[in-house]
Amino acid sequence: MGLSARKMEILRAVVTDYVKTAQPVGSRTIARRYKMGFSPATIRNEMADLEEMGYLLQPHTSAGRIPSQKGYRYYVDELMQEIQLDDDEKKRIYGVFSFEKMREIENIIRQTSQLVSSLTNYTSLILGPRLQKSAFKKLQIMPIDRQRGLLVLVADTGVIKNKVINLPQALSQGELNRIVAHLNRRLEGLTIDRITSRLIRELRRDLYHHINFLEATFTLLEESLAEDESRVFLGGTTNIFNQPEFGNIEKVKSLLMLFEQHALLANLLSRPLAGVEGIVIKIGRENILEEVQECSLVMTTYCLGKEVVGTIGILGPTRMEYSRVVAVLQQVVGQFERL
Amino acid sequence: MGLSARKMEILRAVVTDYVKTAQPVGSRTIARRYKMGFSPATIRNEMADLEEMGYLLQPHTSAGRIPSQKGYRYYVDELMQEIQLDDDEKKRIYGVFSFEKMREIENIIRQTSQLVSSLTNYTSLILGPRLQKSAFKKLQIMPIDRQRGLLVLVADTGVIKNKVINLPQALSQGELNRIVAHLNRRLEGLTIDRITSRLIRELRRDLYHHINFLEATFTLLEESLAEDESRVFLGGTTNIFNQPEFGNIEKVKSLLMLFEQHALLANLLSRPLAGVEGIVIKIGRENILEEVQECSLVMTTYCLGKEVVGTIGILGPTRMEYSRVVAVLQQVVGQFERL
DNA sequence: AATTAGCACTCTAAGCTCTAGAGTGCTAAC
DNA sequence: GTTAGCACTCTAGAGCTTAGAGTGCTAATT
């Protein structure tokens, strides 16, 4: 798959220019704007080759070229140059993460997704920590009134879940404490996904006369397992309106409707990252979902503690400022993980 | 402002037809479709009158008529007929609210907003209970680990707020309990908006050696006061895409961007309802915000307990199925308040 | 052999013109 | 007061035309 140095130059120029202008790039433009010392005719020949090899496309005979999906892929893999964010941008990132108030993981994620989308002008997708892989830390029940209590589940990743549950009237505070203590003893240190099956068998036996009341606890744990949807955080969803390729209302519609289907998004974000480290870029049809086949997704996992727990992704048109997006993502994840 | 019975009939027919078809309505159409026993010519004369009086508009000379804002207003005030939802729809409403699991107010609201938007095909806006007007019920602090605790605030409207706070290491469980007990004693029964000023003066004196730790508590209370944004719940935001008047991308964009500005929405929903009972309809420019001046908003307040605490609204194009929307809103609020 | 100038050719976007069709307003008859 | 009839108006859409951008090929140049 060796391209000549000149072809690389030209491919890079096409990508660069098309990303900037969203207009097909002609040979004259390249010769003029990227002063590579060849005449437009030479560049035309090269571009014809590149097209034949599948790296470029021509919307119609008398238009310039645009990168094909394969072209973007080659650009991303081989040609893209690392760029530095400028100081203002870095400061903005540091600023967000140095805020003292950031104690709640959900808040942090929300802020991060705002930050990422506003730095890139694309849409940010963040998958929060997976409760399933977090270790159980503590469970408590706080009485609210006669009939109800607040069940709080704390995981070692800092995730806190609550749920209002019904308490049987007959239950005394002492009994409640004993039950909670027992649960805590039995569950300590387990990861959440290893809990349910054990709970249901063993704990039921231990606490069989409180089963009714415990159902809600099981429910919370089970919900935590099926909670893929509630892990998805979006930022800058309206940024697509800034992209000329989404001038068409149908496309905007299908994307925005997708944004409401968190289960699908969770899948989109977690699938391609299984077992991979570092930044992953999925271009156009490389993505699973039909709705984003004109989009690219730049994403990476992040860790809290030692475990991989979630994903941060940036979704934009295939005509995306890949190098910039990668730089932003690296910086942000770096800071994020330091918390 | 007396319109002749015939003019009323015709105005009603124009509104009805335009709401259904989104096309300007001609005299022939009315004569045929609404068999009112007059020839098109007669209807034309009447329509010319109605136009002169400001109830109808003509997009251009050779098009039919469409209702003006004044026309809609008259329709809503005088002509609109009450309709019944069909049994399936009623069942759906009952179904949602009869669910046993609905213990958390936030959940209930979320479900309601889904329900309303899917029943109407418009966008639902719900303003959750105002914590400010709720009475304080209980405050508790649950230790999470050495440095952190979960502060839980329960209000009588069922609203529960939590916040992770830092606990001073030195603080013993006993001390913590005493502080919490003291706070509960002092705050009992007060509405939230009457707390802050008192707290800051009196409690600081009582508990002056724990001030550092209490700051976070004050912060939560203060945030509760400024929480207008977090009270807004939206459903069916992508429904605008179904409305032909939003075929224009700019309009969709400005509306969707508005949907992200919860503070503005909170204002939009609470302003017009101050001191009013029952259903309020704001048509087009009657609304405060520029972005919704081609929309109508049908809304009403709801109570939990005796107090008015929030608002449910339905936002659609001015060409809206007012009677249907009103029926849905009545049913839903009725069920909602029974909880 | 590689590069380039030149030129005919292709295709699109945008502006024009034209026309069918819908709907009106007016007049005169009922 | 109502209606039939008719000339008139306006739009949406189809078809045509053209300027401009960009190409691919050929032949000349380095």
Side-chain angles (χ1 to χ4, degrees):
Chain A
M1 185 88 68
L3 289 183
S4 72
R6 193 164 72 186
K7 284 200 173 60
M8 288 187 187
E9 280 303 298
I10 289 172
L11 180 52
R12 176 187 286 131
V14 173
V15 172
T16 311
D17 207 77
Y18 184 62
V19 163
K20 210 182 307 173
T21 65
Q23 296 294 328
V25 191
S27 53
R28 255 172 60 83
T29 315
I30 292 187
R32 207 180 336 118
R33 217 173 292 178
Y34 298 85
K35 48 184 166 80
M36 31 187 59
F38 308 101
S39 76
T42 309
I43 295 173
R44 270 204 296 282
N45 288 328
E46 294 286 39
M47 292 211 297
D49 290 353
L50 283 168
E51 183 176 354
E52 199 166 352
M53 299 163 83
Y55 294 104
L56 294 181
L57 292 175
Q58 224 176 354
H60 55 85
T61 348
S62 77
R65 276 9 188 253
I66 64 175
S68 69
Q69 198 167 302
K70 185 175 167 189
Y72 283 122
R73 172 51 63 200
Y74 191 87
Y75 170 82
V76 160
D77 290 342
E78 314 280 345
L79 305 177
M80 188 169 68
Q81 285 151 341
E82 224 172 87
I83 66 162
Q84 288 287 317
L85 299 183
D86 54 66
D87 286 350
D88 283 359
E89 295 168 326
K90 280 189 189 164
K91 262 183 215 150
R92 268 190 70 193
I93 297 176
Y94 299 148
V96 167
F97 289 104
S98 66
F99 229 130
E100 253 311 302
K101 294 197 172 183
M102 305 264 277
R103 249 169 261 114
E104 275 145 295
I105 183 78
E106 215 183 286
N107 250 326
I108 302 177
I109 292 179
R110 253 183 248 287
Q111 298 248 20
T112 307
S113 90
Q114 291 300 323
L115 174 70
V116 169
S117 63
S118 93
L119 279 172
T120 58
N121 264 306
Y122 302 121
T123 301
S124 68
L125 310 174
I126 304 191
L127 216 48
R130 256 193 309 189
L131 196 46
Q132 311 164 45
K133 291 293 174 195
S134 312
F136 174 89
K137 196 160 159 189
K138 191 173 199 171
L139 177 147
Q140 284 224 2
I141 294 171
M142 171 188 295
I144 295 174
D145 49 31
R146 290 257 167 81
Q147 305 114 49
R148 299 180 309 159
L150 183 70
L151 173 66
V152 180
L153 179 67
V154 184
D156 68 342
T157 40
V159 185
I160 297 170
K161 283 220 145 200
N162 8 264
K163 185 182 172 65
V164 178
I165 60 175
N166 278 350
L167 295 178
Q169 298 243 14
L171 206 68
S172 77
Q173 181 65 44
E175 261 181 306
L176 186 59
N177 287 343
R178 272 204 309 285
I179 293 173
V180 169
H182 181 84
L183 287 175
N184 275 302
R185 225 176 303 126
R186 298 300 300 265
L187 299 177
E188 192 167 7
L190 293 176
T191 58
I192 305 291
D193 59 353
R194 280 170 52 214
I195 291 183
T196 15
S197 55
R198 299 184 68 147
L199 251 190
I200 285 169
R201 261 184 277 121
E202 302 184 16
L203 294 180
R204 281 208 172 164
R205 216 173 311 137
D206 301 350
L207 301 164
Y208 66 95
H209 43 283
H210 295 305
I211 297 256
N212 269 346
F213 141 68
L214 281 174
E215 285 307 340
T217 313
F218 296 142
T219 311
L220 175 59
L221 290 167
E222 270 163 3
E223 276 172 7
S224 312
L225 284 172
E227 49 127 26
D228 256 4
E229 297 102 60
S230 62
R231 293 168 58 209
V232 179
F233 297 80
L234 296 171
T237 47
T238 51
N239 282 348
I240 23 167
F241 287 108
N242 302 325
Q243 303 303 332
E245 35 270 271
F246 289 92
N248 174 335
I249 245 193
E250 281 308 311
K251 287 184 193 166
V252 176
K253 177 179 176 180
S254 76
L255 250 194
L256 287 176
M257 289 180 76
L258 171 64
F259 287 163
E260 295 185 343
Q261 302 185 266
H262 285 194
L264 289 180
L265 295 178
N267 209 332
L268 182 71
L269 282 171
S270 48
R271 275 280 189 81
L273 286 163
V276 186
E277 254 186 50
I279 289 185
V280 170
I281 301 181
K282 289 287 173 191
I283 297 165
R285 267 158 290 140
E286 294 171 7
N287 288 298
I288 325 165
L289 298 178
E290 206 179 336
E291 292 89 338
V292 296
Q293 304 214 330
E294 298 189 22
C295 296
S296 285
L297 184 55
V298 179
M299 53 192 158
T300 188
T301 53
Y302 64 85
C303 305
L304 293 178
K306 274 162 267 166
E307 283 283 324
V308 170
V309 287
T311 310
I312 302 188
I314 299 173
L315 185 78
T318 42
R319 184 189 63 75
M320 190 192 224
E321 288 186 88
Y322 292 97
S323 48
R324 197 182 142 69
V325 166
V326 168
V328 168
L329 202 52
Q330 276 169 341
Q331 283 289 326
V332 169
V333 170
Q335 292 301 309
F336 188 90
E337 290 186 334
R338 284 192 35 220
L339 291 174
Chain B
M1 183 89 63
L3 290 184
S4 72
R6 194 164 72 187
K7 283 200 173 60
M8 287 188 190
E9 280 303 300
I10 289 172
L11 179 54
R12 175 187 287 132
V14 173
V15 172
T16 309
D17 207 78
Y18 183 63
V19 163
K20 210 183 307 171
T21 65
Q23 297 293 328
V25 191
S27 52
R28 253 172 60 85
T29 314
I30 292 187
R32 207 180 336 120
R33 215 172 294 177
Y34 299 84
K35 47 182 167 72
M36 31 187 57
F38 308 101
S39 77
T42 309
I43 295 174
R44 271 206 294 283
N45 287 329
E46 294 286 38
M47 292 212 294
D49 289 353
L50 282 167
E51 183 176 355
E52 199 166 355
M53 298 163 86
Y55 294 104
L56 293 181
L57 291 176
Q58 224 174 355
H60 55 85
T61 348
S62 77
R65 281 1 193 257
I66 64 177
S68 69
Q69 199 168 303
K70 185 175 168 189
Y72 283 122
R73 173 50 63 200
Y74 191 87
Y75 170 81
V76 160
D77 290 343
E78 315 280 344
L79 305 177
M80 188 168 68
Q81 285 152 340
E82 224 171 271
I83 65 162
Q84 287 288 318
L85 300 183
D86 53 70
D87 286 350
D88 283 357
E89 295 170 326
K90 280 189 189 164
K91 264 184 213 152
R92 269 190 70 193
I93 298 176
Y94 299 149
V96 166
F97 288 105
S98 66
F99 230 132
E100 253 311 302
K101 294 198 171 183
M102 306 265 278
R103 248 169 260 113
E104 274 144 294
I105 182 79
E106 217 183 284
N107 251 327
I108 301 177
I109 292 179
R110 252 183 250 286
Q111 299 249 22
T112 308
S113 90
Q114 290 301 323
L115 174 71
V116 169
S117 63
S118 92
L119 280 173
T120 58
N121 264 305
Y122 302 122
T123 302
S124 68
L125 309 173
I126 305 191
L127 215 48
R130 256 191 310 188
L131 196 49
Q132 310 164 46
K133 291 291 173 197
S134 313
F136 173 90
K137 194 160 163 193
K138 190 170 199 173
L139 177 148
Q140 283 224 1
I141 293 171
M142 169 187 299
I144 295 174
D145 49 31
R146 288 257 168 81
Q147 304 115 48
R148 301 180 309 160
L150 183 70
L151 173 65
V152 180
L153 180 66
V154 184
D156 67 344
T157 38
V159 186
I160 296 171
K161 282 221 146 198
N162 7 266
K163 186 180 171 65
V164 177
I165 60 173
N166 279 348
L167 295 178
Q169 300 242 13
L171 206 67
S172 75
Q173 181 64 43
E175 261 181 306
L176 186 58
N177 287 343
R178 272 205 310 285
I179 293 173
V180 170
H182 181 85
L183 286 175
N184 275 303
R185 223 176 304 125
R186 299 300 301 264
L187 298 178
E188 192 168 7
L190 292 176
T191 59
I192 305 292
D193 60 350
R194 279 169 54 213
I195 290 182
T196 17
S197 55
R198 298 181 70 146
L199 250 189
I200 285 169
R201 262 186 275 119
E202 301 184 17
L203 294 179
R204 280 206 171 164
R205 217 174 308 138
D206 301 350
L207 300 163
Y208 64 96
H209 40 286
H210 296 304
I211 297 257
N212 270 344
F213 141 68
L214 281 174
E215 284 307 341
T217 313
F218 296 141
T219 311
L220 175 59
L221 290 167
E222 269 163 4
E223 277 172 7
S224 312
L225 284 171
E227 47 124 30
D228 255 4
E229 296 103 59
S230 63
R231 292 170 58 210
V232 178
F233 297 80
L234 296 171
T237 48
T238 50
N239 282 349
I240 21 167
F241 287 108
N242 302 325
Q243 303 302 333
E245 35 271 270
F246 288 93
N248 176 335
I249 243 194
E250 281 307 313
K251 286 183 193 166
V252 176
K253 178 180 174 178
S254 76
L255 249 194
L256 286 176
M257 289 180 75
L258 171 64
F259 286 163
E260 295 186 342
Q261 302 186 267
H262 286 193
L264 289 180
L265 295 179
N267 209 332
L268 182 70
L269 282 170
S270 48
R271 276 281 188 79
L273 286 163
V276 186
E277 253 184 52
I279 289 186
V280 171
I281 300 181
K282 289 288 173 189
I283 297 165
R285 268 158 291 140
E286 294 171 8
N287 288 299
I288 325 165
L289 298 177
E290 206 178 334
E291 291 88 339
V292 296
Q293 304 214 330
E294 297 189 22
C295 297
S296 286
L297 184 55
V298 179
M299 53 194 158
T300 188
T301 53
Y302 64 85
C303 305
L304 293 177
K306 274 162 266 166
E307 281 284 325
V308 170
V309 287
T311 310
I312 302 188
I314 299 173
L315 185 77
T318 41
R319 183 188 62 76
M320 191 191 223
E321 288 185 87
Y322 291 96
S323 47
R324 195 181 143 69
V325 165
V326 167
V328 168
L329 201 53
Q330 277 168 339
Q331 282 291 326
V332 169
V333 170
Q335 292 302 310
F336 188 91
E337 290 185 335
R338 285 192 33 221
L339 291 174

